Amino acid sequence: GLFIGTGHQDNYAKLVVSATGGAGGIEFLKEVSGFPTFRPQAAVALPGPDAIDLYLTVDPATRTVQPSFTVTTAGTTGPPTAVGAPEPIPAGWLSGTAALAAGLISTSNGAAPPFPATWDFFEVVPEAAPTKSLVASPTSVAFGAPQGGASQSANVALSTSDGAAAPYLVTDNAT
């Protein structure tokens, strides 16, 4: 599995593949100051898949983490599956001078025999910033042919697709 947090064992969130007594599944757990928050396990038949990819998507603006996974069987990767809704994480995990810790985790509960676990890669990458587009109202303006050097004008209101203020440049393509 994988985890994020402060780098301290009492403040982290993990997403792991779990045998759970043979039932199999994907388990998410968040622990803050030593107090765990569990979610219902997402069922995945084990053994079975060729690969399971785990994701912890952090949204710093909302201070949440979204656990999800994909399953690959016979060379086909299924769609991402969310493990519940985004989970709030403490602001302290994302502020200050220390970076958010991320890593790999593997544990065994009780007197179970050793098991093989492999990770073929691990990466922390920023998600692409959402793109904004300009929305014009009206969406088009038609001019007739100007006569004798007369000019024509029209008012067009521009706003961003998400309603937030953003700088923009307006040019024309008139020939």
Side-chain angles (χ1 to χ4, degrees):
L2 55 103
F3 76 90
I4 59 163
T6 64
H8 186 275
Q9 69 181 15
D10 286 340
N11 293 287
Y12 70 98
K14 72 175 183 175
L15 186 63
V16 300
V17 176
S18 174
T20 312
I26 308 300
E27 175 187 305
F28 176 77
L29 173 136
K30 177 183 77 173
E31 189 170 315
V32 177
S33 299
F35 295 99
T37 301
F38 297 91
R39 289 193 175 181
Q41 183 169 287
V44 174
L46 296 174
D50 299 328
I52 299 173
D53 292 327
L54 304 173
Y55 304 91
L56 290 172
T57 304
V58 176
D59 183 341
T62 59
R63 293 192 302 270
T64 59
V65 59
Q66 175 63 65
S68 62
F69 66 96
T70 59
V71 174
T72 301
T73 303
T76 301
T77 301
T81 301
V83 182
E87 178 73 22
I89 57 177
W93 290 14
L94 302 169
S95 63
T97 58
L100 183 66
L104 302 172
I105 187 170
S106 179
T107 61
S108 179
N109 188 9
F115 61 92
T118 58
W119 292 264
D120 62 354
F121 76 91
F122 174 78
E123 64 183 341
V124 177
V125 295
E127 287 209 353
T131 58
K132 292 184 180 186
S133 60
L134 288 176
V135 178
S137 179
T139 57
S140 66
V141 177
F143 291 109
Q147 301 293 319
S151 64
Q152 297 178 349
S153 65
N155 290 324
V156 177
L158 297 175
S159 60
T160 60
S161 56
D162 65 358
Y168 48 85
L169 173 66
V170 178
T171 61
D172 68 36
N173 293 325
T175 57

